[in-house]
Amino acid sequence: MATYVLIHGAAADSWYWGPLAAELRDRGHDVIAPDLPCEDESAGLAEYADAVVGAIGDLTELVVVAHSFGGFTGPLVCARVPVDLLVMLQAQIPAPGETPGAWWDNTGYGAARQEADRRRGVPEGTEEDPVTLYLHDTPAPLAAELMAEHQRTQAAQPFGEPWPLDAWPQVPTKALLSAGDRFFPVEFMRRVTVERLGIEPDELPGDHMPMLGHPKELAERLEAYRAAR
């Protein structure tokens, strides 16, 4: 039995892990999905990692799954507690000393997103609504609940803090991408993953929130990673 540690992204709470957590618990695993202090203007990356490490406590056989902005927190947790496997799920991959705020320009996100939008036929300058951008492959009731009840204000503090590790932690790492994500286009994420981690990512169907739209397949992928480590 493993303990899956699920780290959510920016401006949200841990609710969105629910369908995946249920799938993993049905397979006999423990699951923790702590809420990060994203509304706290005094909380930075260290405090985000503190929240996760505190929730882990004495649990062992850890599989850390970091999603989106959670990619800045996941490796920090791995540097502090013994982790068997880190899975970067459609996650931002930081470089040593890089602030989350600088990540976008440093990775060439703007140009990559513009090209991906052009390929989809989105007129330049169009502001797409969140459901169209993030949740187009999520079941409508779950998308509506997420938007209505689980959006949180995201404090600016962590975006100006340099990522504190000198190198990637010594933990087996996998990268899993959502093939249909419009916010983090898959071609862009694949390039960043290869450049920064030197590994080829895998893909599964879905938008930016595959844990809502494809929880069973995501659980199967995670279990396959765990079994093969």
Side-chain angles (χ1 to χ4, degrees):
M1 184 177 70
T3 299
Y4 280 90
V5 182
L6 310 180
I7 303 176
H8 68 77
D13 60 27
S14 60
W15 170 87
Y16 68 65
W17 289 115
L20 174 64
E23 291 283 347
L24 294 171
R25 291 189 178 109
D26 284 347
R27 291 164 168 79
H29 302 297
D30 287 333
V31 179
I32 59 172
D35 285 327
L36 303 182
C38 67
E39 293 175 318
D40 185 348
E41 291 292 349
S42 68
L45 296 174
E47 287 72 27
Y48 284 39
D50 287 345
V52 180
V53 172
I56 290 171
D58 296 329
L59 295 170
T60 59
E61 298 188 50
L62 305 176
V63 178
V64 173
V65 183
H67 174 244
S68 196
F69 183 51
F72 275 84
T73 300
L76 301 183
V77 174
C78 295
R80 292 177 51 181
V81 298
V83 171
D84 293 341
L85 177 67
L86 170 62
V87 181
M88 302 290 280
L89 175 62
Q90 204 66 1
Q92 293 175 268
I93 299 170
E98 180 178 63
T99 67
W103 181 89
W104 308 89
D105 286 342
N106 291 350
T107 57
Y109 171 81
R113 169 71 186 284
Q114 188 175 50
E115 174 60 18
D117 287 351
R118 185 192 65 77
R119 291 178 181 175
R120 289 197 295 120
V122 179
E124 187 173 352
T126 299
E127 289 284 342
E128 293 187 285
D129 67 87
V131 172
T132 300
L133 185 59
Y134 299 101
L135 300 165
H136 58 90
D137 193 47
T138 295
L142 293 179
E145 185 172 356
L146 175 63
M147 296 303 300
E149 301 182 27
H150 299 282
Q151 294 294 289
R152 297 167 64 191
T153 300
Q154 175 60 55
Q157 177 65 28
F159 291 91
E161 294 186 355
W163 194 64
L165 298 186
D166 294 330
W168 202 256
Q170 294 297 307
V171 59
T173 301
K174 291 288 189 179
L176 185 56
L177 307 181
S178 294
D181 191 350
R182 296 170 178 172
F183 179 56
F184 283 167
V186 67
E187 298 89 351
F188 162 73
M189 294 296 287
R190 180 173 293 278
R191 173 179 61 77
V192 173
T193 301
V194 171
E195 290 176 353
R196 296 201 163 189
L197 295 181
I199 61 174
E200 282 287 343
D202 299 310
E203 294 182 24
L204 80 165
D207 52 30
H208 193 62
M209 311 296 283
M211 67 292 292
L212 291 176
H214 298 272
K216 183 175 182 179
E217 181 167 354
L218 177 52
E220 290 171 350
R221 296 292 190 101
L222 296 175
E223 282 288 82
Y225 287 156
R226 187 181 65 85
R229 65 177 170 81

